[in-house]
Amino acid sequence: MTLSGKNVALLIEDEYQILEGWYPKLRLEEAGAKVTVVGSGTKKSYDSKEHYPMDVDVDAADVTSADFDAVVVPGGFAPDNMRLHPEMIALVRDAHESGKLVASICHGGWILASAGVLKNGRKATGYLPIKDDVENAGGVWVDESVVIDGNVITSRTPVDLPAFGAALVSYLETH
């Protein structure tokens, strides 16, 4: 178990993309990490776009970035819902400012934009329709399956999940 002792927050809200929520969770757990599902606080279980539920372990208001080694933000339309909850944005911002891994896939880059993670030319990728949001937040758009820039890992879409999962595990093994 290469990630034994690592704690990862997986942010969740309604309309998450099912694979982008479950794949990182299961991949990180398989590698030995403890994954804590962190919700916005509006309920105890959130449905994917396909109506598959993911139960919450804790609400964002009840944790801090000090509790985790990394924060992962899945895509789908969940990030749009997450943006309505300042505690979720603060968790990502504080994790990033503390030098911890912050990762997103697909629309998850919206949260990185809202948290100020992308300013000052941070390289990032995601689902192509958020390119303007990444650039308007000060980031540099890169169209690659996985982009690693310091303590930020971003990825495009579900077809990139194997590379995204490998990048998360590799980063956490060495940090």
Side-chain angles (χ1 to χ4, degrees), residues 63-152:
V63 294
T64 71
S65 64
D67 298 320
F68 304 105
D69 299 294
V71 178
V72 178
V73 185
F77 300 124
D80 206 25
N81 295 324
M82 291 175 195
R83 287 174 126 176
L84 300 172
H85 303 280
E87 301 87 359
M88 296 188 102
I89 302 300
L91 182 61
V92 172
R93 181 184 321 104
D94 294 347
H96 177 256
E97 289 175 356
S98 299
K100 297 182 178 187
L101 174 62
V102 174
S104 71
I105 186 167
C106 198
H107 286 89
W110 276 341
I111 299 301
L112 276 56
S114 293
V117 170
L118 302 174
K119 60 186 174 184
N120 300 321
R122 175 80 60 183
K123 294 177 189 169
T125 195
Y127 185 50
L128 185 57
I130 73 162
K131 177 182 178 186
D132 291 346
D133 301 288
V134 168
E135 292 175 342
N136 289 336
V140 174
W141 182 263
V142 181
D143 186 16
E144 294 177 4
S145 61
V146 173
V147 174
I148 302 169
D149 188 352
N151 64 324
V152 178

